[in-house]
Amino acid sequence: IPFNAIDLPAFYPQNERDISLLWVGAPHFGRVPWIEAARSIQGAHVQTDPISHADYLALMVRSRMCLVLPGAGAQTYRAVEAAAFGCATVVPAFIGTGNSHSDVLNILVAEPDDLSRAVMSMPVDDCAYFGQVNRTRLLTDLTHTAVAARFLSEAELCVSQ
């Protein structure tokens, strides 16, 4: 079955995703203001200490939105992970265009102070739409298909346990 023919799996229902915004990663490279802003959002999960891969996958499955911050550059693996899990991506406006993930629907946020408003005002149905579109685009992009397939198969195992 070609990956672009796979429907969103049953374990992705948006109404059962209890994490409004997810961040898992180290607080460096100018991320601190964004991470602190994320901590103040109701229902957000911010993890700056190392966790197991299984725990990370379990958090991704439960998340409606994923904060995508740059590391050493504008391109980030987290954008691929978020799309594979059907999460809407929340991206600082300065990296939201012109990077390798500009073909996905990003929720662009200008400043850390705007993060809470952007996340809390996003309807669940819109999160689902962004997540589905991003996942479909990811799975039809041959450069990311193998990565997405791996994340999805790991997620299915994680959820079935």
Side-chain angles (χ1 to χ4, degrees):
I1 299 174
F3 286 112
N4 60 0
I6 298 174
D7 292 327
L8 204 61
F11 61 83
Y12 284 120
Q14 290 291 324
N15 62 345
E16 294 180 15
R17 293 185 182 217
D18 61 328
I19 298 174
S20 60
L21 178 71
L22 176 65
W23 168 258
V24 177
H28 58 73
F29 294 114
R31 295 173 172 174
V32 172
W34 292 92
I35 292 169
E36 291 308 312
R39 286 186 197 282
S40 69
I41 297 172
Q42 181 180 358
H45 184 96
V46 176
Q47 181 75 44
T48 56
D49 294 325
I51 61 172
S52 72
H53 188 64
D55 288 344
Y56 177 65
L57 294 175
L59 290 170
M60 289 292 285
V61 169
R62 294 173 42 210
S63 300
R64 288 192 303 271
M65 292 181 249
C66 183
L67 183 58
V68 177
L69 299 175
Q75 298 179 13
T76 173
Y77 208 64
R78 189 169 285 105
V80 176
E81 295 171 330
F85 280 87
C87 297
T89 50
V90 180
V91 179
F94 67 89
I95 69 164
T97 57
N99 65 33
S100 66
H101 308 298
S102 59
D103 60 333
V104 300
L105 294 174
N106 293 314
I107 301 164
L108 299 179
V109 180
E111 300 289 335
D113 291 344
D114 300 329
L115 187 60
S116 178
R117 182 183 47 75
V119 170
M120 298 312 289
S121 65
M122 185 72 160
V124 171
D125 289 345
D126 288 354
C127 284
Y129 173 75
F130 273 53
Q132 289 171 358
V133 168
N134 288 346
R135 185 173 180 279
T136 300
R137 289 181 180 177
L138 174 76
L139 292 177
T140 56
D141 181 348
L142 295 179
T143 61
H144 297 308
T145 299
V147 174
R150 191 190 81 205
F151 285 129
L152 293 171
S153 64
E154 290 174 348
E156 288 168 0
L157 287 173
C158 178
V159 170
S160 66
Q161 293 176 350

